[in-house]
């Protein structure tokens, strides 16, 4: 009938279509900070051995107006390949380290770990004095505690036969020290009071509970543990001390005999260490490593014999960064890698041959991977349209199938267009970035820009979901801003050589790239050159401070978050001085005091005319809060531009609590709006109205 009517009365139908589309657009909402504050995301996934289901952790924000303030809750859910989802452990919980328990003979007593499939996890639940190991039956029923320890269990692994559990826990404070602390003698000696974590083994009884644990005495600090397939050995991640610097730069893989505790092999990876796994036959170990000690980020897919020996980079000419891996069989690996601003999933034999693509670039951004014995792969992935969700990829397929929908309300949102932009730096280097265009963009009109700079700099902004409490993304686009995320030189995703391009040149060509990105967007006809703002956290905060001072004439507003302002005092107050030296600065301040000073934003505050908002957590161990105080004080004393400093009590290197996140998002956007779209002048009021727009309307 439609075919008959269309040629007779096209105009009324066209009008109806326009009216329908207009009504649909009007019904859709625009993103606000309050939408960000309720956005959920899948953070990890564990696929069942038969590939039919996947357990996953769903990160659920707290409602700062209805619940006590704090970080997100972490819930346990299970999803089938057809998208059927079941909540298992939900509510006010923080579930972590999820894993499927080994299947076992049906003759085992009910409730045994070996009686059938279950999902193990760590949590501190009602009745727990410490973080304990729990198991919830897949067939249904209540989760029950199977292992407790006198201190928090940090990580664990259950042997393939289900008879033993290896775990790492905090050391217990000696009784005399506990008593002294109660009397006020609770002083700590900086970096010396930290004690290494401990490796333990415990048998698992037929009733599913653990027997008495046995500590395996090892020098240094263990942080991960995995059983060999035959249950005779343990693969642990070891560092000399619990210091963050050693955790970043000196983590190594050790193979330990489970009975004797003897170290049988040490894998000497040359720098940073990422994910790792035993081969199914226990003869090899695959892991992600740095190429050398000066490599800013682990990213090389490496294989070594379990007995030790020569390391093989199985993708030596691959200009990308491998992030996740799993064994397909004893000779073949499945891996996920960052390629530029995209992700790929591939396969390759451990000798470096027979490489093939499983999931090509452009499908989704991968942040987690697990593989079942039948070849099905479970992924955590995000796209420009949604945050992290669970995807399945069946054997022989290249098409990820989305199984979860954690934010169904997103379908009612109007999302701005997102695209990949390629541009050239002034020295001819080709760079990429992610552009979110203003919502409802009008052809020929120029818009204010928020340039959002990632930290690291050994990180990247991928072509996925780019909106969070500290990333303006769709919220700023809905308010008429263009938002651009540049992957400047030193970013990951393009191989080791590219990631080293910013070394020994802090705030040099790497930050010139940011201005070149703005110029490109201006040349495109999209951005108003006089209305560019800059923001970012950590190293992105350093970039923001540099934009507000050295490049002040190019930026009309800046928001610096947990950022660097003084490269000299930064070294003396950070917990990663050696990592910074090896993979970034490549020289100490005393090697060239003047150079270090001149690459500090405080050195250029005399020329700053950029209104600058500075925000920092008071408990940040990475970039000390004094970095923000210094920049604030210098700008305040110079008196050439508005400046404001906001402290977040108890927050570290980035905000974790719901109220702190919402406050940050609202302040950042208000600052940019005030100086890039508003009248400017004096800063906006200190007070923030935290109510959602609809709530404000209702009350008025």
């Amino acid at each position: 009938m439609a075919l008959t009517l269309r040629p007779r009365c096209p105009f009324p139908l066209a009008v109806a279509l326009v009216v329908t589309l207009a009504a649909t657009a009007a019904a859709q909402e625009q993103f606000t900070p309050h939408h960000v504050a309720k956005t959920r995301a899948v953070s990890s996934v564990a696929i069942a051995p038969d590939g039919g289901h996947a357990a996953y952790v769903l990160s659920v924000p707290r409602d700062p107006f209805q619940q006590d303030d704090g970080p997100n809750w972490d819930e346990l859910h299970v999803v089938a390949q057809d998208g059927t989802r079941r909540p298992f452990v939900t509510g006010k919980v923080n579930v972590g380290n999820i894993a499927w328990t080994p299947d076992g003979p049906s003759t085992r007593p009910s409730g045994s770990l070996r009686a059938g499939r279950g999902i193990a996890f760590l949590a501190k639940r009602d009745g727990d004095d410490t973080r304990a190991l729990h198991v919830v039956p897949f067939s249904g029923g209540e989760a029950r505690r199977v292992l407790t320890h006198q201190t928090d269990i940090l990580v664990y692994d259950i042997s393939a036969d289900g008879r033993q559990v290896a775990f790492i826990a905090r050391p217990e404070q000696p009784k005399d020290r506990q008593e002294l602390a109660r009397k006020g003698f609770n002083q700590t000696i900086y970096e010396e009071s930290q004690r290494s974590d401990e490796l333990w083994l415990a048998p698992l009884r037929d009733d599913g509970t653990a027997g008495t644990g046995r500590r395996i005495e090892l020098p240094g600090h263990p942080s991960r543990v995995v059983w060999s397939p035959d249950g005779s050995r343990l693969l642990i991640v070891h560092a000399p001390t619990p210091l963050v610097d050693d955790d970043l730069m000196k983590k190594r893989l050790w193979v330990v005999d489970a009975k004797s505790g003897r170290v049988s092999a040490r894998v000497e990876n040359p720098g940073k260490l990422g994910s790792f796994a035993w081969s199914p036959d226990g003869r090899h170990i695959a892991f992600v490593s740095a190429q050398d000690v000066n490599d800013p980020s682990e990213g090389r897919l490496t294989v070594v014999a379990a007995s030790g020996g020569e390391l093989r980079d199985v993708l030596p000419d691959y200009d990308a960064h491998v992030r996740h891996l799993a064994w397909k069989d004893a000779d073949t690996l499945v891996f996920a890698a960052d390629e530029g601003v995209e992700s790929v999933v591939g396969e390759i034999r451990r000798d470096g041959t027979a490489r093939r693509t499983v999931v090509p670039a452009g499908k989704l951004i991968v942040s987690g991977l697990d593989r079942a014995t039948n070849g099905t792969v479970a992924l955590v992935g995000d796209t420009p349209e949604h945050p992290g969700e669970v995807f399945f990829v069946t054997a022989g397929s290249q098409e990820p199938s989305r199984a979860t929908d954690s934010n169904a309300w997103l379908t009612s949102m109007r999302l701005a267009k997102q695209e990949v932009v390629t541009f050239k730096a002034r020295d001819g280097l080709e760079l990429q970035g992610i552009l979110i265009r203003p919502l409802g963009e009008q052809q020929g009109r120029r818009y204010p820009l928020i340039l959002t700079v990632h930290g690291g700099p050994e990180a990247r902004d991928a072509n996925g979901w780019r909106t969070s409490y500290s990333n303006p993304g769709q919220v700023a686009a809905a308010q008429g801003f263009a938002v651009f995320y540049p992957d400047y030189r030193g970013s990951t995703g393009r191989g080791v050589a590219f990631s080293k391009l910013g070394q020994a040149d802090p705030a040099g060509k790497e930050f010139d790239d940011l201005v070149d990105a703005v110029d490109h967007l201006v040349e495109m006809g999209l951005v108003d050159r006089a209305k560019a703002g800059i923001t970012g956290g950590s190293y992105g905060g350093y970039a923001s401070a540099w934009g507000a001072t050295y490049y002040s004439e190019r930026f009309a507003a800046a928001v610096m978050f947990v950022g660097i302002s003084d490269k000299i005092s930064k070294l003396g107050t950070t917990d990663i001085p050696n990592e910074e030296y090896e993979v970034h600065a490549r020289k100490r301040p005393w090697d060239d005091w003047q150079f270090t000073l001149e690459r500090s934003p405080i050195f250029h505050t005399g020329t700053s005319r950029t209104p600058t908002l500075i925000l920092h957590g008071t408990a940040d161990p990475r970039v000390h809060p004094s970095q923000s105080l210094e920049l604030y004080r210098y700008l305040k004393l110079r008196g050439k531009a508005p400046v404001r400093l906001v402290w977040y009590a108890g927050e570290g290197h980035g905000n974790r609590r719901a109220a702190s996140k919402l406050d940050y998002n609202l302040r950042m956007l208000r600052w940019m709006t005030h100086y890039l779209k508003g009248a400017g002048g004096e800063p906006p009021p200190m007070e923030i109205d935290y109510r959602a727009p609809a709530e404000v309307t209702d009350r008025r």
Side-chain angles (χ1 to χ4, degrees), residues 391-404:
F391 290 78
F392 287 98
V393 184
T394 56
S397 172
Q398 287 192 320
E399 194 63 39
S401 173
R402 178 175 164 183
T404 59

Side-chain angles (χ1 to χ4, degrees), residues 283-304:
R283 297 176 61 186
H284 294 88
I285 299 165
F287 61 97
V288 178
S289 173
Q291 180 173 280
D292 54 53
V293 71
N294 302 126
D295 187 348
S297 179
E298 64 279 7
R300 313 314 304 164
L301 181 58
T302 309
V303 174
V304 65

Side-chain angles (χ1 to χ4, degrees), residues 76-94:
L76 172 62
H77 296 253
V78 173
V79 63
Q81 283 197 39
D82 64 5
T84 303
R85 297 183 295 277
R86 292 168 55 196
F88 272 67
V89 183
T90 62
K92 296 181 179 181
V93 294
N94 285 108

Side-chain angles (χ1 to χ4, degrees), residues 48 212 222 248 347 406 506 583 673:
T212 303
L248 283 172
E347 283 185 6
S406 304
V583 306
T673 300

Side-chain angles (χ1 to χ4, degrees), residues 544-559:
S544 302
W546 194 252
T549 56
Y550 181 86
Y551 269 127
S552 180
E553 78 281 1
R554 298 303 308 272
F555 293 101
V559 177

Side-chain angles (χ1 to χ4, degrees), residues 216-237:
I216 294 185
E217 301 277 354
L218 290 172
H221 177 72
S223 58
R224 292 279 306 280
V225 58
V226 179
W227 285 97
S228 64
D230 65 0
S232 66
R233 293 162 294 167
L234 299 165
L235 185 60
I236 70 165
V237 175

